[in-house]
Amino acid sequence: MREKPTLRGQFFWAALKMLALSLLVGVAVIVVVMVIFTQRVPDGDKFLVSSLSFLFGKETMGPGGMIPVLVLAGVLLCLLVAGVCTLVTSRLTGRLTATLKTLRQAADNLREGDLDFQIMACDEKELDELSQSLESVRQRLKTAAVAEATAQEERGLLMANLSHDLRTPITAIKGYVEGIQDGIANTPEKQRHYLDIVYNKSLLLEKLVRNMSDFSEYELGRMQYHFEYVEMSPFLQDLSEEYQADVGRNGMSFTSQIPRGHYVVTADRSKLKRVLDNLISNAIKYGRPQGEIALVAEEYEKGLVIQVSDNGKGISTQALRHVFDSFFRADSARTSSVPGSGLGLAICRSIVDSHHGKIWLTSEEGEGTRAFIYLPLQKEEGML
């Protein structure tokens, strides 16, 4: 690919061209004047030879007659040189002005938010580099605008889903409380049953509000952490007992393999629990009826790997690439009967990244999904 000329090179070659053309034109004018003089003036050739001899300091005859001719030739030469310089410079500046006008229009379009155009390449190297930079900015702005429009649409859908999810338990709580007030629950057993339902619905409301709070913190990048040294064996053991009950209520079986030993990580307990809660919740949502969910932890390369697995329907290879994107769901939120905002795994990744760890998923359709969390272990000498 031929390298584009620079502006300095353009002006340098333009100056050389003007000089060369001026010399050629000057020489041509002088030659023409001499030819005309020798043809129109009697004995002009002899007089011209004698005049040239006078210019070189030799004997001359009537040199005064040659002075007007030389003055005329000089004036014509200056006029022609000026004309040639003006023509060449006008062409160069005209081309540069047109290019700069195009780039200025492109900058105005970017300022006004009009991104549906393309900035073409320029012939000059510096201007071409500038046009490429502006085109790169335009493409990035357009990509960001498309992503923002998509995110805005998904935010609206999220708010609609959350509003619906909030309305459902609120309506249920209101109905059962009215049933108690109106005396429909006229036995202690019925009242206890109604109160249990109200309590469970209030737990669901609490979870939804927490999700909304997490979403706001995630969007604003203001998620607060309270890090401390956490003994992972008792921490995971306590969670396993909690998950055992949750999974059992959904008609599924739960197993855990927690290593005994001294495994300490620097973590925020509530945020780390939030990650595991989300993984277990996903396993319950997408697992098979009467399926199996397992929580396994083991040491690996100066860290602790926590695995949550299920034997559900799995995730396609294409969807697996996007599961950590905000608002992404393998099943469309508009059509899927499985509730959710599509933010859980995005928030989980943000939390795990803040713990200097890693999170990833593997899955096979029809076989199940495994989620992995890697957390670096705290060195003994770094303990408080």
Side-chain angles (χ1 to χ4, degrees):
M1 187 179 193
R2 186 174 64 88
E3 185 177 359
K4 294 180 180 292
T6 64
L7 290 176
R8 178 179 295 181
Q10 291 268 43
F11 283 108
F12 176 75
W13 285 110
L16 287 181
K17 289 177 183 178
M18 288 188 289
L19 178 61
L21 288 175
S22 299
L23 291 176
L24 288 175
V25 171
V27 171
V29 168
I30 292 174
V31 171
V32 170
V33 170
M34 287 182 176
V35 171
I36 295 175
F37 181 79
T38 55
Q39 291 181 351
R40 297 294 180 88
V41 178
D43 296 328
D45 52 346
K46 295 179 180 180
F47 181 75
L48 185 60
V49 171
S50 63
S51 297
L52 294 175
S53 300
F54 169 75
L55 291 176
F56 286 100
K58 297 182 179 181
E59 184 180 358
T60 182
M61 294 177 59
M66 191 63 183
I67 293 177
V69 177
L70 294 176
V71 171
L72 177 61
V75 171
L76 292 176
L77 178 61
C78 292
L79 291 175
L80 288 172
V81 168
V84 171
C85 292
T86 302
L87 177 63
V88 174
T89 304
S90 296
R91 289 188 60 188
L92 178 59
T93 55
R95 188 168 67 250
L96 294 179
T97 300
T99 302
L100 290 174
K101 184 177 180 181
T102 301
L103 293 178
R104 184 182 64 184
Q105 182 63 45
D108 291 340
N109 291 341
L110 292 177
R111 185 182 66 238
E112 297 297 329
D114 179 12
L115 305 175
D116 294 325
F117 67 98
Q118 185 175 3
I119 303 175
M120 305 304 293
C122 302
D123 293 332
E124 293 75 25
K125 182 178 180 180
E126 291 88 349
L127 295 180
D128 185 62
E129 291 174 351
L130 177 59
S131 66
Q132 290 180 8
S133 297
L134 288 176
E135 175 64 13
S136 177
V137 170
R138 184 195 69 83
Q139 291 178 357
R140 290 188 179 184
L141 288 175
K142 187 170 183 179
T143 301
V146 172
E148 178 61 25
T150 302
Q152 188 65 33
E153 180 182 357
E154 295 292 352
R155 287 189 193 99
L157 179 62
L158 173 65
M159 292 299 107
N161 288 340
L162 286 176
S163 298
H164 177 269
D165 292 341
L166 287 170
R167 190 182 303 114
T168 301
I170 289 174
T171 301
I173 291 173
K174 181 180 177 182
Y176 283 105
V177 170
E178 288 177 349
I180 295 175
Q181 291 177 337
D182 295 340
I184 297 176
N186 50 14
T187 64
E189 290 77 12
K190 270 193 175 183
Q191 291 177 358
R192 188 179 302 108
H193 176 66
Y194 278 30
L195 290 174
D196 287 341
I197 294 176
V198 169
Y199 177 73
N200 290 331
K201 296 298 181 182
S202 66
L203 291 179
L204 179 58
L205 280 176
E206 181 184 19
K207 182 178 180 181
L208 290 172
V209 171
R210 184 179 62 180
N211 288 341
M212 294 177 67
S213 176
D214 288 343
F215 169 67
S216 298
E217 292 179 352
Y218 172 76
E219 281 283 282
L220 297 174
R222 298 177 181 174
M223 191 169 286
Q224 301 295 319
Y225 293 92
H226 303 283
F227 288 105
E228 58 181 321
Y229 294 119
V230 178
E231 285 275 5
M232 292 302 293
S233 292
F235 175 75
L236 292 176
Q237 191 63 47
D238 291 342
L239 289 181
S240 296
E241 294 175 3
E242 179 182 333
Y243 296 148
Q244 179 81 40
D246 292 341
V247 173
R249 280 194 295 268
N250 287 274
M252 306 172 75
S253 62
F254 177 83
T255 59
S256 63
Q257 296 180 18
I258 311 300
R260 297 183 180 275
H262 191 61
Y263 301 100
V264 179
V265 301
T266 303
D268 182 318
R269 289 177 179 270
S270 62
K271 294 296 190 296
L272 192 55
K273 181 178 183 300
R274 174 77 172 86
V275 174
L276 292 170
D277 286 351
N278 182 269
L279 297 180
I280 294 293
S281 176
N282 285 343
I284 293 174
K285 287 179 186 177
Y286 301 105
R288 296 177 182 175
Q290 291 82 44
E292 299 177 357
I293 297 176
L295 174 65
V296 179
E298 59 182 348
E299 185 178 0
Y300 179 75
E301 292 188 356
K302 300 181 181 180
L304 188 69
V305 176
I306 305 170
Q307 175 185 331
V308 176
S309 61
D310 64 70
N311 59 348
K313 61 182 181 180
I315 305 172
S316 67
T317 303
Q318 181 179 1
L320 197 61
R321 302 190 189 101
H322 304 283
V323 290
F324 292 104
D325 296 344
S326 297
F327 305 109
F328 178 80
R329 297 188 62 203
D331 296 319
S332 172
R334 293 179 177 84
T335 59
S336 177
S337 60
V338 179
S341 62
L343 282 168
L345 288 178
I347 296 175
C348 287
R349 180 175 62 179
S350 177
I351 293 174
V352 173
D353 288 345
S354 298
H355 285 70
H356 305 289
K358 297 179 182 179
I359 182 172
W360 68 97
L361 266 65
T362 62
S363 184
E364 293 184 16
E365 291 188 85
E367 297 294 330
T369 301
R370 292 187 296 174
F372 298 88
I373 302 172
Y374 173 85
L375 297 173
L377 290 173
Q378 179 66 42
K379 296 180 180 179
E380 286 291 333
E381 57 268 22
M383 292 291 295
L384 290 175

